[in-house]
Amino acid sequence: MLSRRFFLQGAAIAGCSAAAHPFMSSVTLAAVPGEQRLVVIILRGAMDGLDIVQPYGDPLLAQLRPDFPVGPDKGATDLDGFFALHPAMAELMPLWKTGELGFAHAVSTPYRDKRSHFDGQDMLEAGTGMDVPLSMVRDGWLNRLLQQMPGARAETAYSVGDDELKILSGSAAALSWAPDASLILSSQGRTLLDMIYHDDPLFRQAASEAMQITDGGDNAEDGTTDPDSPDLMAEPMMAAPADGMAAPGAPAPLKGAVGAAASLADFAASRLRGETRIAAFSLNGWDTHRGQEAAIRGPATQLAAMVTTLRQQLGPVWDKTLVLGMTEFGRTARQNGTRGTDHGTGGAMLMAGGALKGRKVYGKWPGLADADLYAGRDLMPTADIRAYAGWALRGMYGVPVDVLEKSIFPGLDIGADPRFLA
């Protein structure tokens, strides 16, 4: 298998820059047994859980956010008489009604007080606590899951998108894909690389395999396609053909950022319908310091598009799928002077899929009184977000609790099972 570390070392040895090296979009493969699918979406920028899943039944929310539209009277969709869903997420309500959508509220990683996006995201993806320096953590919790699962084989874990996801980094192989990356190599480039690596015993075989991947698995000798080779260019994306005409029977293409978000989910679904069992990608844009009413609409619409695309494209596989939308921390309970919110602590996690026991907002609501807020400003976390991820791994893959608490999420007290899996 071609590992990311191998390619990074190869680039250094060859004296190539990352931009010039044709194989820096690394392709490595991994696997887990079973039929259960897990999709993790990292919501970068600190999603405001108090806005996406509005506790409008708490009268203090409207007082803390007088300029924000709060509750069903202002366009949100009622969920259970206490919580309401942000208007930009309304297309997910059919999933709520069928029990395929849920949330966990007042959750957080162990990260506290410093409120750095970078450190918060690193801790979320590493799955560690404050007692472990992030500089010492070299792998992510999804990769440590793969390391604990016997029978690993190609192809099962994908990191999807332009961002490098620490959550799938580590010694267990995982495959990466980016929508804007091209793995096509010109004939001149193939000839040059063949000349460079032909007499190199260290890189010759790896270069040959990598060039095969750039061909989408095409066999140069007979023009056939190797059925065991991952054809990264073969699956159609949710985009219009060059002539602007949609392919017969294809879903109507989405445009702009929403279309790009749907394309990530569409590609993940294409792999999850096959041998892939774990997919991870990220969605940016949640840092809403100013004009949040308008600023949050974009990423919220994109997140809804991702979930609905997964639902549509997975077909019967959806029944075996769990989607977790996780963010590095929440935002302040009070609006700021520019009608936005600042970095906070407690937030919300999205859950979806046929494997979910949905139509419920899980968690213990802490309240929004001054005495109930964390540091007098943030939603108080009442659960560790890692515990929800841990119980997901326990229920879907049978990972023992002691392995979850000691190896995959070091230092975690997983607590009682919230029983959110169907």
Side-chain angles (χ1 to χ4, degrees):
M1 294 303 170
L2 305 176
S3 70
R4 177 177 178 274
R5 181 178 297 277
F6 179 91
F7 278 126
L8 290 174
Q9 291 173 341
I13 292 172
C16 299
S17 69
H21 201 285
F23 301 138
M24 288 306 292
S25 295
S26 59
V27 179
T28 57
L29 302 175
V32 300
E35 294 300 317
Q36 302 289 70
R37 274 78 166 172
L38 177 65
V39 180
V40 179
I41 308 176
I42 302 298
L43 308 175
R44 299 193 186 280
M47 180 186 77
D48 184 7
L50 291 173
D51 203 352
I52 293 299
V53 189
Q54 302 172 1
Y56 76 95
D58 190 324
L60 293 175
L61 181 64
Q63 296 180 30
L64 293 168
R65 300 177 168 201
D67 296 320
F68 283 30
V70 172
D73 293 343
K74 299 294 181 65
T77 305
D78 178 64
L79 295 175
D80 59 5
F82 186 87
F83 292 102
L85 188 62
H86 190 278
M89 307 279 282
E91 69 174 296
L92 295 181
M93 283 306 297
L95 296 181
W96 174 267
K97 293 177 180 177
T98 56
E100 299 167 90
L101 178 69
F103 301 91
H105 224 312
V107 296
S108 177
T109 71
Y111 188 66
R112 297 290 184 272
D113 301 328
K114 296 182 181 180
R115 298 183 172 89
S116 161
H117 287 300
F118 301 105
D119 289 345
Q121 290 168 20
D122 280 352
M123 182 165 290
L124 173 65
E125 297 185 50
T128 57
M130 293 291 286
D131 56 331
V132 180
L134 289 171
S135 60
M136 297 178 60
V137 182
R138 301 300 182 189
D139 52 8
W141 60 266
L142 275 182
N143 197 276
R144 292 195 293 275
L145 166 68
L146 298 178
Q147 296 171 36
Q148 295 292 330
M149 302 184 76
R153 61 181 178 79
E155 116 199 10
T156 299
Y158 265 85
S159 171
V160 182
D162 294 323
D163 296 325
E164 180 182 350
L165 290 176
K166 187 172 186 175
I167 195 171
L168 263 173
S169 297
S171 59
L175 193 151
S176 298
W177 175 86
D180 296 326
S182 173
L183 295 179
I184 297 174
L185 194 62
S186 68
S187 59
Q188 295 93 333
R190 290 178 59 88
T191 301
L192 175 61
L193 285 168
D194 184 62
M195 293 173 61
I196 292 173
Y197 290 122
H198 185 272
D199 296 322
D200 190 324
L202 180 60
F203 294 114
R204 181 176 60 243
Q205 182 62 31
S208 176
E209 294 175 4
M211 284 190 283
Q212 184 181 20
I213 290 172
T214 68
D215 291 337
D218 290 343
N219 187 305
E221 275 88 18
D222 59 15
T224 62
T225 299
D226 178 2
D228 296 323
S229 180
D231 185 352
L232 301 187
M233 308 302 291
E235 290 290 336
M237 303 301 294
M238 293 183 66
D243 60 5
M245 299 295 291
L254 300 173
K255 297 181 179 180
V258 175
S263 292
L264 290 179
D266 185 59
F267 178 83
S270 74
R271 297 298 148 181
L272 290 163
R273 291 195 303 267
E275 294 186 8
T276 296
R277 296 295 178 267
I278 296 173
F281 46 91
S282 62
L283 176 62
N284 300 325
W286 298 96
D287 199 20
T288 51
H289 287 284
R290 173 187 306 272
Q292 180 165 308
E293 182 179 356
I296 202 171
R297 193 176 303 127
T301 303
Q302 294 168 49
L303 178 57
M306 284 180 164
V307 175
T308 54
T309 298
L310 288 169
R311 175 65 183 90
Q312 293 164 1
Q313 299 301 319
L314 284 175
V317 173
W318 177 255
D319 291 339
K320 302 179 180 68
T321 299
L322 178 67
V323 181
L324 300 179
M326 310 171 75
T327 195
E328 64 262 35
F329 43 71
R331 307 192 72 83
T332 50
R334 294 179 179 83
Q335 68 176 67
N336 62 25
T338 58
R339 297 188 177 185
T341 54
D342 299 316
H343 300 173
T345 309
M349 178 176 70
L350 176 143
M351 301 184 287
L356 176 70
K357 189 188 299 180
R359 202 170 183 175
K360 182 176 179 179
V361 178
Y362 289 84
K364 180 182 178 182
W365 181 246
L368 295 173
D370 286 347
D372 296 326
L373 296 176
Y374 178 82
R377 50 170 279 166
D378 303 336
L379 180 67
M380 178 70 73
T382 58
D384 192 323
I385 196 171
R386 300 177 301 164
Y388 281 92
W391 282 114
L393 302 186
R394 170 67 178 159
M396 298 182 72
Y397 302 116
V399 183
V401 168
D402 64 327
V403 173
L404 290 167
E405 293 183 330
K406 295 177 182 178
S407 299
I408 297 178
F409 299 105
L412 171 66
D413 178 1
I414 197 169
D417 185 356
R419 301 184 181 278
F420 58 87
L421 292 179

